[in-house]
Amino acid sequence: MRIILINFFLFLVISACTQQAPNSSNEAHARPMQLSLDQSNQLANLPLNCVQKKYPFMIFNVLNSIEDVKEPQLLYPAFYGCFDWHSAVHGHWSLVKLLKEYPNIEKADLIETILRANISAENIQAEAQYFSEEKNKSFERTYGWAWLLKLAEELHTWDSPLARDLEQNLNPLTQIIVNRFIEYLPKLTYPIRVGTHSNTAFALSFAYDFAIASNNNQLLELITSSAVEYYYNDLNCPIEWEPSGNDFLSPCFEEIQIMRKILNKQDFDDWIEEFMPQLKNPDFNIEVALVSDRSDGHLVHLDGLNFSRAWVFYGLAKQYEEYAYLVPLANAHLQHSLPNIFSDTYEGGHWLGSFAIYALSHDKK
């Protein structure tokens, strides 16, 4: 046994990279696409257009009586926009991330005003009360939980008076979500291996980042042991089966993402040799996912898949330089989907910006 241990500028770089195979030898040391001020100014409009937009909204509220029928803003006074709760959370993360990276972003004042208004102590207390109700114990498990911790991590690692205020306001809900993970993971006998919201590897990866940033050893140890139990003995991930028709996450690559974080280099090398040996080939390639109808809220998920693949490739290349050949492939995935999201209908526009921002900034981790 192995040891367990719109179409805006095309970002000024699209021409050369899209004319050649992404893994061609002259691109072996290509630079990752990174978030710029110009890009931030464009991307900020996506969450700004939705975090305070009440309708349309998809509600996932368990009703015990007619008294539970309420408008979204009454149920979730902080995260009532962007079509659903989790998209509202990562829309706020987007605004925090953009303002943190570029304090001189064009709409900085508006962004700060919205963040202070929405992530107020009063609003978060109401959100915490909602999560504390017995009928809501599984609400947004685990995708929304993961994004809430990503928002908390971004605030915690930002040296700013605004961040300190917002982090303090958010803390009651943050602690509930931490406790949710601690309660839930020991009960999850088998991981959920899908390309959508309930993917376990994705949630573990985001929660791991939060645990590291916040020095939460209990959560960190639980995530690590859970990932080892779920994934360490996995063999030959069927990447040729991907993607499914409405994936925005890759079951195979999200598993790689969490395992590269928790394993040391030797153990990861041994593991990837059994899990996806073809990824170690410098000629590895995978075609970008194609969206046939951008007005279909499920089909447009595939642009999110291109972004999430990109952040996995960047993260792997950042951690281990022998995977640098994945950078052009990540760039190709970003370049394919990035121009589309600025002219999207609301089906994609309310959430895809967050995935693009994370992909563009993820190589820094």
Side-chain angles (χ1 to χ4, degrees), residues 264-280:
N264 64 43
K265 187 177 190 305
Q266 184 60 59
D267 287 341
F268 181 76
D269 284 344
D270 293 343
W271 179 81
I272 200 72
E273 185 66 42
E274 301 294 333
F275 182 72
M276 196 186 294
Q278 63 268 44
L279 191 64
K280 301 179 78 171

Side-chain angles (χ1 to χ4, degrees), residues 79-283:
F79 305 119
Y80 60 86
C82 298
F83 191 73
D84 49 46
W85 190 88
H86 52 256
S87 298
V89 171
H90 58 71
H92 285 80
W93 170 83
S94 296
L95 295 177
V96 169
K97 181 68 174 179
L98 295 174
L99 190 58
K100 177 181 178 181
E101 293 291 324
Y102 292 102
N104 295 323
I105 193 171
E106 287 177 358
K107 297 181 179 178
D109 291 343
L110 177 59
I111 292 172
E112 179 170 347
T113 297
I114 288 176
L115 289 174
R116 287 193 180 278
N118 287 16
I119 309 179
S120 68
E122 180 181 11
N123 286 347
I124 296 302
Q125 190 56 51
E127 297 259 356
Q129 177 60 42
Y130 181 85
F131 270 82
S132 297
E133 296 175 13
E134 184 65 29
K135 67 184 178 67
N136 298 324
K137 288 294 180 67
S138 62
F139 179 68
E140 287 289 350
R141 187 175 74 192
T142 52
Y143 181 78
W145 296 2
W147 273 109
L148 193 284
L149 293 189
K150 182 57 66 178
L151 172 59
E153 175 201 351
E154 208 65 60
L155 291 170
H156 184 72
T157 55
W158 183 14
D159 184 13
S160 159
L162 172 62
R164 297 290 70 74
D165 291 344
L166 297 179
E167 181 183 25
Q168 182 176 349
N169 293 347
L170 189 65
N171 188 60
L173 186 54
T174 303
Q175 294 309 309
I176 287 175
I177 298 303
V178 168
N179 291 335
R180 287 284 194 275
F181 271 107
I182 291 172
E183 294 166 2
Y184 175 63
L185 288 177
K187 301 176 185 178
L188 185 65
T189 305
Y190 312 104
I192 301 170
R193 306 173 187 272
V194 297
T196 50
H197 302 86
S198 55
N199 181 280
T200 303
F202 168 82
L204 291 178
S205 184
F206 271 26
Y208 179 91
D209 295 342
F210 170 83
I212 291 288
S214 62
N215 296 312
N216 189 319
N217 290 328
Q218 181 184 10
L219 182 61
L220 181 64
E221 291 170 6
L222 179 58
I223 291 167
T224 301
S225 63
S226 297
V228 167
E229 180 180 354
Y230 296 150
Y231 305 123
Y232 196 78
N233 293 314
D234 283 0
L235 305 173
N236 299 317
C237 194
I239 190 65
E240 65 275 7
W241 292 4
E242 297 185 22
S244 294
N246 64 348
D247 282 356
F248 56 86
L249 300 169
S250 161
C252 288
F253 290 131
E254 287 301 320
E255 189 169 329
I256 290 171
Q257 181 83 329
I258 183 59
M259 295 303 276
R260 75 158 178 88
K261 292 180 180 182
I262 69 165
L263 296 178
N264 64 43
K265 187 177 190 305
Q266 184 60 59
D267 287 341
F268 181 76
D269 284 344
D270 293 343
W271 179 81
I272 200 72
E273 185 66 42
E274 301 294 333
F275 182 72
M276 196 186 294
Q278 63 268 44
L279 191 64
K280 301 179 78 171
N281 185 337
D283 292 326

